[in-house]
Amino acid sequence: MEVPGELVGALRRARSVCVLTGAGVSAESGVPTFRDAQTGLWERYDPLELATPEAFEQNPRLVWDWYAWRRELVREAEPNPAHHALAELEELVPEFVLVTQNVDGLHRRAGSRQVVELHGNLGYVICASERTPVSPDEFVPAGEDRPPLCPRCGSYLRPDVVWFGETLSMGRISEAQAAAAGCDVFLSVGTSSVVYPAAGLASEAARSGALVVEVNPQETPLSGASDHVLRAPAGTALPALVEALKD
Ligand code: BV8
């Protein structure tokens, strides 16, 4: 695939690159995006409904099982060429920060090191009250219709992710904002650019003079404001970008 020369030149000159990824980067690993229909037994649920404190309050076991299903899906998934290209890009630029909205841990499995998991990681479980990590061997089973309990305080366990309506950790969002504000090139890859505060990072980068690039087969609210749009799947566009950079 053809990569614009101006973009390759900007990446060659860049001191600092910031990348924001969304579910689209993991789509080619077989991990469904938020806007794809859920498969199988979950197809009648809307992820925007399930990934909320209200859903957990109303039906903690349903939400617990949904994440257990996704954890299994992710365990069986492999990083795809998009993840590997981003891990390679990190080695080709002086400063690199990968901010991801994904909770599947696939960037780290592909070798990316400077990763900010803005919305957490579904591989980790915390106590819903203490918010402290609980390892699987400490789970206290509580029967079929409840999530397991915290061994310390007896509260329900939950995935270590940020739900809609929950605030992000200040540390993570400030690290992401600093990376966006300080970069020369900002790549927004595989995200529908509708979830805030993550979707605000691109304008933060643009305000600081960065070149903004969108990689997405579909149009998004960011497309019109991007300096370059690579209208292709990330698994095609990102390896082409890295190859062009290495030429
Ligand atoms: C917050 C973890 C302060 C969980 C996620 C009204 C009431 C309450 C809140 C709000 C409100 N209005 C706005 C808000 C703020 C809200 C928000 O933005 N809502 C949206 C829906 C309007 N944000 C929040 O609540 C955040 N917290 O603001 O705190 C606060 C507190 C209280 C009240 C107000 C404010 C927390 C947001 C984090 C939610 N957690 N994930 C879990 O995963 O289970 S969000 C989850 O969905 C993802 O992490 C991701 O961030 C988001 C969706 O997006 P994408 O990653 O973009 O995926 P999507 O499926 O949407 O799109 C995929 C894209 O990939 C598509 O564009 C597609 O074309 C493309 N694609 C497909 N294939 C490929 C591809 N691209 C490349 N290659 C391919 N092969």
Side-chain angles (χ1 to χ4, degrees), residues 103-169:
V103 294
D104 57 31
L106 287 175
H107 285 302
R108 284 222 171 80
R109 280 177 52 193
S112 289
R113 288 172 293 115
Q114 198 60 35
V115 181
V116 180
E117 291 180 313
L118 218 41
H119 297 155
N121 185 317
L122 55 67
Y124 305 123
V125 167
I126 52 174
C127 165
S129 310
E130 302 165 343
R131 314 294 296 231
T132 47
V134 180
S135 61
D137 56 338
E138 296 176 285
F139 290 4
V140 175
E144 291 296 298
D145 55 1
R146 294 196 302 164
L149 309 178
C150 170
R152 294 179 289 272
C153 74
S155 303
Y156 287 148
L157 298 183
R158 58 164 282 179
D160 189 9
V161 298
V162 180
W163 282 328
F164 288 102
E166 290 189 319
T167 48
L168 284 70
S169 100

